[in-house]
Amino acid sequence: LAVKDPTAVERANLLNMAKLSIKGLIESALSFGRTLDSDYPPLQQFFVVMEHCLKHGLKVRKSFLSYNKTIWGPLELVEKLYPEAEEIAASVRDLPGLKTPLGRARAWLRLALMQKKMADYLRCLIIQRDLLSEFYEYHALMMEEEGAVIVGLLVGLNVIDANLCVKGEDLDSQVGVIDFSVYLKSDDDIGGKERNVQIAAILDQKNYVEELNRQLNSTVSSLHARVDSLEKSNTKLIEELAIAKNNIIKLQEENHQLRSENTLILMKTQHHLEATKVDVEAELQTYKHSRQGLDEMYNEARRQLREEAQLRQDMENELVVQVSMKHEIELAMKLLEKDIHEKQDTLIGLRQQLDEVKAINVEMYQKLQVSEDAMKEKNEIISRLEDKTNQINATMKQLEQRLQQAEKAQMEAEAEDEKLKQEYVNKSESLQNEFSQKEKQLLQLETDLKIEKEWRQTLEDDLQKEKETVSHLRTETQEIVNLKKEFLKLQEKNKQLKSVCEDQEAALQELASKLSESKLKIEDIKEANKALQGQVWLKDKEATHCKLCEKEFSLSKRKHHCRNCGEIFCNACSDNELPLPSSPKPVRVCDSCHAILIQRCSSNVP
């Protein structure tokens, strides 16, 4: 046989003792029928068992004088994990009669039981196993699954009302010893099964009502918190609205001031602009007249300069023509000289010929007598030669006349050339004088133009300054328009805030009406529970059909029994479900009395 782990055996024994103590405490408390005090034996045994469960596997801590092993360390850790536990931790520390950490831990357990939150506090503690590992060994009951089971069993203690006096009780010197004689069975326990069943039903109903009350209290607290937050937000919105109204009034005053200033500035700028416009128009008119006169003078000077340049060009062209004509005349004279020399040569040749002819004539005249026929022929030749001589003489005369004419034309051309040279020199001197005068006039006109340009530049600067002032005024008017838009936006935001306030007030009224309705429903449920407490279950053989749909029960249509009114329904008809924080799944509720339904089996055991 395998040897069992002693720590596992210890955990199992402590779990069983916790089950027995919790069950015995609940049964005895319900049979007792009133609130419990600190002298009640099952309650004392329960605290002893819980103390043993919390001490299991606790690490030993060294101190200055001795070793310390107490459960106050992990319990003191709860207030950091669960903020609602700060109140009982502070009250435990403030108790005057407690001197040891064990006494503080015992007082803490009693206060947690009176608050009915022991299960919630320990559940937050066992979830944080990394923090528990500082106080417990790895095999401790609080570090294993048995701790979670004990926390689940502690939820049933919420049906007990306890009134414990912790202040005057000596919790430091109590000895925790478990009395096992309380948990031994007797004959009276065997015969009280029916009474236990009734007690269990009453406990379940009480648990359900307490859960409902807890849920309603939580919803009421959340609604109160929401109402407080809404009131705070409403007050803030009212303050913001007042501030916004004051800002709007200030902005309106500033707007009126800005408008008045704007109107004054506009009037001043208009007068100034009109005056500047008149001055600028007059200056522009004078500038235009002066510019027009200067342009006319400049155009006339340019025209005269062009005419003089054209005349100079014409004179230069004429001079070139005269020079070319002179060259042509010189060439013609040279050609004429050549012709004259050639003709003189021809005349010399003709004279020689004439001398020869004369000699020939003499000879012919001498020979004429020799022969008449030869004379006739010679006479004919002479007549021909005479004609030729006459022609030559005529041509010589013409050539002499032409030579005389050419000499005269040469003399006239030379005289005209000298005259033209003299005239050209005089005209060039006069043109140079006029050109210098025109240059002086141009320089004077350029200085006048520079002065006019400087004057125009000053006028343009003045105009630019006026434009800048106008643009500045336009920006100021644009800022005023933007202020108007912001004012309109603030008005719209004010309207929206008013609508939000009205919506929140309507929501508060609806929440108040729903709260009143929920309170009325709770009172109706309590009255129905009080009226239906005396009813008894039907027997399984008698309950064969569902009360609502009147169909026979089967495997698919299971029986669900109401603990208050005793009615039996099928699973198809009992669809009303209600979530409970103590159970992972929602429970089914009776349609008539809204009590918890339980499923029945064939042995009539719930």
Side-chain angles (χ1 to χ4, degrees):
L1 294 174
V3 180
K4 291 185 178 180
D5 188 5
T7 57
V9 174
E10 290 175 1
R11 289 198 301 271
N13 292 333
L14 287 171
L15 178 61
N16 292 326
M17 285 305 300
K19 286 180 181 178
L20 289 172
S21 64
I22 290 168
K23 184 179 178 183
L25 180 59
I26 292 169
E27 290 177 355
S28 61
L30 292 174
S31 63
F32 191 61
R34 55 190 174 86
T35 56
L36 306 178
D37 54 1
S38 58
D39 295 331
Y40 193 60
L43 188 60
Q44 292 178 355
Q45 288 296 312
F46 166 72
F47 285 126
V48 171
V49 172
M50 283 303 298
E51 189 176 337
H52 281 282
C53 291
L54 290 171
K55 283 182 179 178
H56 182 262
L58 194 66
K59 288 182 180 179
V60 178
R61 293 200 171 191
K62 293 181 181 180
S63 64
F64 292 104
L65 300 174
S66 61
Y67 291 99
N68 188 11
K69 186 176 182 182
T70 180
I71 60 173
W72 173 240
L75 294 179
E76 195 177 10
L77 188 64
V78 176
E79 63 177 336
K80 296 179 182 178
L81 303 174
Y82 204 81
E84 293 181 6
E86 293 178 357
E87 185 179 354
I88 62 169
S91 60
V92 166
R93 291 190 192 96
D94 295 336
L95 285 173
L98 299 178
K99 298 178 181 178
T100 60
L102 183 60
R104 294 191 189 95
R106 288 169 179 170
W108 190 90
L109 289 172
R110 282 159 176 74
L111 291 174
L113 181 66
M114 283 194 288
Q115 280 189 345
K116 296 184 180 181
K117 290 185 178 180
M118 186 185 290
D120 297 332
Y121 295 158
L122 294 179
R123 181 172 60 83
C124 292
L125 190 61
I126 63 171
I127 289 171
Q128 303 292 332
R129 303 213 172 182
D130 52 348
L131 297 175
L132 278 179
S133 62
E134 297 178 2
F135 300 97
Y136 289 100
E137 301 289 343
Y138 69 94
H139 56 78
L141 183 134
M142 296 298 289
M143 299 289 288
E144 296 292 336
E145 294 179 358
E146 286 83 355
V149 175
I150 290 172
V151 170
L153 292 171
L154 290 174
V155 177
L157 294 178
N158 294 334
V159 300
I160 297 172
D161 295 327
N163 188 8
L164 307 176
C165 184
V166 184
K167 190 173 182 181
E169 193 173 356
D170 187 11
L171 299 175
D172 294 329
S173 60
Q174 285 184 1
V175 179
V177 179
I178 301 173
D179 188 7
F180 293 99
S181 63
V182 180
Y183 307 108
L184 297 176
K185 290 186 179 180
S186 61
D187 296 332
D188 295 332
D189 295 331
I190 297 168
K193 285 185 178 179
E194 294 180 359
R195 185 167 58 84
N196 292 331
V197 170
Q198 291 178 359
I199 289 168
I202 292 166
L203 285 173
D204 290 336
Q205 191 65 34
K206 187 179 180 183
N207 191 8
Y208 170 68
V209 172
E210 286 181 353
E211 289 294 334
L212 278 177
N213 287 328
R214 185 178 293 176
Q215 287 182 0
L216 291 172
N217 288 325
S218 64
T219 54
V220 167
S221 62
S222 64
L223 288 171
H224 279 302
R226 191 174 177 185
V227 167
D228 293 334
S229 64
L230 288 172
E231 285 178 354
K232 289 179 182 177
S233 63
N234 195 4
T235 54
K236 286 181 181 178
L237 289 172
I238 290 166
E239 291 175 357
E240 289 178 358
L241 183 62
I243 293 165
K245 284 181 179 178
N246 294 325
N247 291 328
I248 287 164
I249 292 165
K250 289 179 182 177
L251 288 172
Q252 285 178 353
E253 292 176 356
E254 289 178 359
N255 192 4
H256 288 302
Q257 290 178 1
L258 289 171
R259 282 183 178 177
S260 61
E261 290 177 359
N262 191 10
T263 52
L264 291 172
I265 290 165
L266 284 173
M267 293 291 289
K268 289 180 181 178
T269 52
Q270 283 178 359
H271 289 302
H272 188 65
L273 282 172
E274 288 175 357
T276 52
K277 279 183 180 178
V278 172
D279 294 336
V280 168
E281 285 178 356
E283 289 174 357
L284 283 172
Q285 197 71 25
T286 54
Y287 176 71
K288 284 180 181 178
H289 287 300
S290 61
R291 179 69 182 272
Q292 190 174 3
L294 290 170
D295 290 335
E296 288 177 356
M297 288 173 68
Y298 181 69
N299 291 324
E300 189 175 358
R302 284 185 69 184
R303 184 174 59 77
Q304 289 178 1
L305 183 63
R306 284 177 183 174
E307 288 177 356
E308 294 295 333
Q310 188 69 32
L311 286 171
R312 184 178 178 180
Q313 188 69 31
D314 294 336
M315 291 300 292
E316 286 178 355
N317 292 328
E318 288 179 358
L319 183 61
V320 171
V321 171
Q322 291 294 328
V323 170
S324 63
M325 287 176 68
K326 185 179 178 183
H327 286 297
E328 288 178 356
I329 289 166
E330 287 177 355
L331 288 170
M333 288 295 292
K334 286 180 181 179
L335 291 171
L336 285 171
E337 285 178 356
K338 283 182 180 180
D339 291 333
I340 288 164
H341 287 298
E342 287 177 356
K343 286 178 179 180
Q344 283 177 358
D345 292 334
T346 53
L347 282 171
I348 289 166
L350 287 171
R351 281 176 183 175
Q352 288 176 0
Q353 287 178 4
L354 184 60
D355 290 334
E356 288 176 357
V357 167
K358 282 178 178 181
I360 289 165
N361 284 326
V362 170
E363 286 177 1
M364 288 299 289
Y365 184 73
Q366 288 174 1
K367 289 178 180 181
L368 183 60
Q369 293 175 1
V370 176
S371 168
E372 288 178 359
D373 293 333
M375 279 297 288
K376 288 179 181 179
E377 290 178 358
K378 285 182 180 180
N379 286 325
E380 290 178 357
I381 291 166
I382 289 166
S383 60
R384 290 177 183 173
L385 288 170
E386 285 178 355
D387 292 330
K388 285 181 180 180
T389 55
N390 291 326
Q391 289 178 358
I392 289 165
N393 288 321
T395 53
M396 285 291 291
K397 288 179 180 180
Q398 289 177 358
L399 288 170
E400 287 177 358
Q401 290 176 358
R402 286 178 70 184
L403 182 61
Q404 290 175 1
Q405 289 177 358
E407 288 177 353
K408 288 179 181 180
Q410 187 177 3
M411 293 293 289
E412 290 176 355
E414 288 177 355
E416 288 178 355
D417 191 8
E418 288 178 357
K419 289 179 180 179
L420 287 170
K421 282 181 180 179
Q422 190 68 32
E423 289 177 357
Y424 178 71
V425 169
N426 294 325
K427 282 185 179 180
S428 63
E429 289 177 355
S430 62
L431 287 171
Q432 283 179 357
N433 294 323
E434 289 178 357
F435 187 72
S436 62
Q437 289 177 2
K438 295 295 180 182
E439 283 181 350
K440 290 178 181 179
Q441 288 178 0
L442 280 172
L443 290 171
Q444 189 175 1
L445 289 171
E446 285 178 355
T447 54
D448 293 334
L449 282 171
K450 285 181 181 178
I451 293 164
E452 292 292 331
K453 284 181 180 179
E454 290 176 356
W455 190 38
R456 184 176 179 182
Q457 187 67 32
T458 54
L459 289 173
E460 287 178 354
D461 294 333
D462 294 333
L463 284 171
Q464 188 66 29
K465 289 178 181 178
E466 295 295 330
K467 286 180 181 178
E468 288 177 355
T469 54
V470 171
S471 64
H472 182 65
L473 292 171
R474 285 178 181 173
T475 53
E476 287 181 353
T477 53
Q478 188 66 31
E479 288 177 355
I480 292 166
V481 171
N482 293 327
L483 287 171
K484 285 182 181 178
K485 290 180 180 179
E486 289 179 357
F487 177 67
L488 293 173
K489 287 180 181 178
L490 286 171
Q491 284 183 348
E492 291 178 357
K493 193 173 181 181
N494 190 4
K495 289 179 183 178
Q496 290 177 0
L497 290 172
K498 283 182 179 178
S499 62
V500 169
C501 287
E502 290 174 359
D503 294 335
Q504 288 177 354
E505 287 177 358
L508 286 172
Q509 290 177 0
E510 290 178 359
L511 288 171
S513 62
K514 287 182 179 179
L515 276 173
S516 61
E517 289 176 359
S518 62
K519 285 182 180 179
L520 291 172
K521 284 182 181 179
I522 290 164
E523 290 176 359
D524 293 336
I525 290 166
K526 287 181 179 179
E527 289 176 0
N529 288 332
K530 287 178 182 179
L532 296 172
Q533 281 179 357
Q535 293 187 5
V536 189
W537 278 20
L538 288 175
K539 292 182 179 180
D540 192 30
K541 292 180 180 179
E542 294 176 1
T544 57
H545 292 78
C546 178
K547 186 177 179 182
L548 291 177
C549 63
E550 295 182 356
K551 291 182 180 180
E552 190 176 358
F553 292 114
S554 63
L555 291 173
S556 60
K557 290 184 177 291
R558 295 182 297 278
K559 296 177 183 180
H560 288 80
H561 186 271
C562 179
R563 293 178 174 177
N564 275 338
C565 60
E567 298 294 340
I568 299 175
F569 305 98
C570 63
N571 56 352
C573 295
S574 56
D575 290 334
N576 294 327
E577 293 182 349
L578 182 70
L580 292 177
S582 60
S583 63
K585 294 182 180 179
V587 296
R588 296 180 182 272
V589 181
C590 180
D591 291 329
S592 59
C593 65
H594 299 285
I596 298 173
L597 294 177
I598 60 171
Q599 185 177 349
R600 293 183 67 179
C601 62
S602 59
S603 60
N604 293 328
V605 178

